[in-house]
Amino acid sequence: MPDLAFPTTVAATLKGAEAVLVLVPERQAKAGWIGKTFDGDWAKLAEQAIQGKEAGPSGQVVSTFVPGKGPRRVVVGILPDTVSRHNAPARTEAAATAALAANPLAQPTAVFACVEEKAHALPVARAVMRAAPLYSRKTGAHKGKAKPKKRVAIQALDVDGKTVPLSAADRALLEQVRFAAMLVDMPTAELTTGEFEKLVRKAARGIEHLRVTSITGKQLLEKKLDGLYTVGRAAMVAPRLLLLEYKPPKAKMKFGLIGKGVVYD
């Protein structure tokens, strides 16, 4: 379960990294973007490794090992210049494929993404996160085996090598999307209704003006919520309805969001 970081300098992104993932559009790769942007043996080897490589319609992944100190492995995802009208111009599918090849669950990883438009930084970072989920059965974390956390540092840079920083709102969005993906990934044997409530309360902790209420078990009958109770009453953990009420001062609008977290049906 890697920790995410969003440094704004190359040195900070590389700190402690054992692997480097570079995501670069094909035309920028052919223009020598890697060599122009980065120093070090890993960058020179990356440039050599991609010579003569074509992205093709789905992108191509090239990897090589690096001798000596510093990162031990470099992976380059060459992203296609032209994408289908059904695909995003940020080439997120190709970026996600390259991120999976880099396997950031295995070691601390530095990720550098060349973005030709600033708006591409957020979707590309989201694509990389697909390879660094909060939940994975491979980690053994849910079997009681404590393992050191890995760090995945993501930095977007433009075609001139200048950092494209992610805003605080973008970083918060990425973390919450990752949290939602964890809820989807966890099997129902582990994500019981009780565990679901614990995770929601933990996520809500520290948010001002937010109150979390749980209507559990036979309390559902008292609230005339017979359907929820009837569907879940045979489960080992009692069914429940969670209410999240956000009441900031001087609020001018009222609206409700309704979602269904199915853990037993």
Side-chain angles (χ1 to χ4, degrees):
M1 298 184 290
D3 287 331
L4 289 182
F6 304 96
T8 55
T9 66
V10 172
T13 303
L14 285 171
K15 185 177 180 180
E18 296 177 11
V20 176
L21 168 64
V22 181
L23 301 171
V24 55
E26 183 177 21
R27 54 177 159 257
Q28 302 302 333
K30 290 181 177 180
W33 182 84
I34 297 176
K36 294 175 183 177
T37 306
F38 306 105
D39 296 320
D41 292 340
W42 70 266
K44 295 176 182 178
L45 286 173
E47 278 281 11
Q48 294 172 8
I50 63 174
Q51 292 301 313
K53 303 294 184 182
E54 301 289 337
S58 303
Q60 183 173 171
V61 179
V62 180
S63 66
T64 186
F65 288 95
V66 184
K69 296 181 179 180
R72 296 178 298 183
R73 182 170 176 248
V74 59
V75 179
V76 181
I78 307 173
L79 310 182
D81 290 332
T82 303
V83 296
S84 163
R85 67 182 185 277
H86 302 297
N87 200 350
R91 312 147 172 111
T92 52
E93 288 301 320
T97 299
L100 287 168
N103 191 17
L105 289 176
Q107 70 278 303
T109 304
V111 182
F112 297 105
C114 174
V115 294
E116 295 177 316
E117 297 181 26
K118 291 183 178 180
H120 291 176
L122 178 59
V124 169
R126 174 66 191 94
V128 171
M129 284 172 48
R130 289 166 60 180
L134 284 173
Y135 177 87
S136 173
R137 245 332 188 165
K138 295 179 181 179
T139 65
H142 295 270
K143 298 180 182 179
K145 299 177 183 178
K147 290 190 177 183
K149 286 189 175 182
K150 308 297 191 299
R151 175 180 182 260
V152 178
I154 304 173
Q155 183 181 3
L157 304 103
D158 64 18
V159 295
D160 296 319
K162 297 179 181 179
T163 299
V164 180
L166 291 168
S167 68
D170 287 343
R171 295 194 298 270
L173 175 63
L174 288 169
E175 292 289 0
Q176 294 311 311
V177 169
R178 201 171 178 226
F179 173 73
M182 179 190 69
L183 298 180
V184 173
D185 291 342
M186 289 183 71
T188 55
E190 296 176 18
L191 185 62
T192 63
T193 53
E195 183 65 19
F196 189 96
E197 180 180 347
K198 289 179 183 178
L199 291 171
V200 170
R201 288 186 180 277
K202 182 179 179 181
R205 192 178 302 151
I207 301 177
E208 294 184 354
H209 316 300
L210 179 64
R211 184 178 69 177
V212 181
T213 305
S214 176
I215 304 173
T216 307
K218 291 189 177 181
Q219 293 176 347
L220 293 166
L221 295 176
E222 298 172 6
K223 297 292 184 179
K224 307 298 183 183
L225 298 169
D226 299 37
L228 289 177
Y229 176 77
T230 302
V231 169
R233 65 183 176 181
M236 294 178 66
V237 182
R240 65 202 65 207
L241 175 68
L242 295 182
L243 301 175
L244 282 76
E245 299 175 272
Y246 180 61
K247 296 183 177 181
K250 300 180 181 180
K252 297 180 181 180
M253 295 170 46
K254 289 185 178 181
F255 61 92
L257 300 174
I258 301 173
K260 184 178 181 184
V262 180
V263 298
Y264 177 84
D265 208 338

